[in-house]
């Protein structure tokens, strides 16, 4: 990363690499959208999640639906952070 007018410390280079890995993980460096094939493990897990969320939503009072959505987003956020850290640490 050293070049004409481009001097970085090891710490700065580490931060740059981390940002690149985060961008790769989040799909910010790809030109195509994320897709998945039917019948895969991912598709089956997604279907189970959707079915369970729908069943729980039917049991809840309408005024409790925002709480379910908030819980789902918080859970997904925690999973995302955990997977991001594991991905980055893997390098």
């Amino acid at each position: 990363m050293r070049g004409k007018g481009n001097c970085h410390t090891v710490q700065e280079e580490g931060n740059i690499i981390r940002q690149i890995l985060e961008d790769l993980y989040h799909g910010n460096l790809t030109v195509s959208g994320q897709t998945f094939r039917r019948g895969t493990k991912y598709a089956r897990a997604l279907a189970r999640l959707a079915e369970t969320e729908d069943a729980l939503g039917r049991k809840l009072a309408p005024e409790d639906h925002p709480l379910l959505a908030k819980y789902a987003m918080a859970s997904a956020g925690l999973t995302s952070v955990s997977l991001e850290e594991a991905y980055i640490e893997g390098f």
Side-chain angles (χ1 to χ4, degrees):
M1 296 209 120
R2 294 188 187 267
K4 210 173 190 179
N6 260 349
C7 293
H8 298 285
T9 66
V10 172
Q11 179 66 37
E12 289 170 329
E13 288 180 3
N15 290 341
I16 291 168
I17 291 170
R18 182 177 177 86
Q19 185 60 53
I20 290 170
L21 291 173
E22 285 180 20
D23 286 342
L24 279 170
Y25 178 82
H26 290 291
N28 296 333
L29 297 179
T30 184
V31 295
S32 63
Q34 183 179 2
T35 61
F36 62 93
R37 282 182 270 175
R38 294 173 194 252
T40 62
K41 247 166 107 169
Y42 182 87
R44 289 189 299 275
L46 182 59
R48 279 192 310 275
L49 175 67
E51 290 166 7
T52 303
E53 185 176 358
D54 287 344
L56 185 54
R58 287 190 301 273
K59 290 181 181 278
L60 293 175
E63 62 269 13
D64 292 329
H65 287 195
L67 184 59
L68 174 59
K70 188 174 180 179
Y71 170 80
M73 291 303 294
S75 179
L78 179 60
T79 299
S80 178
V81 169
S82 178
L83 291 172
E84 177 184 331
E85 288 298 318
Y87 177 84
I88 292 168
E89 291 299 318
F91 280 89

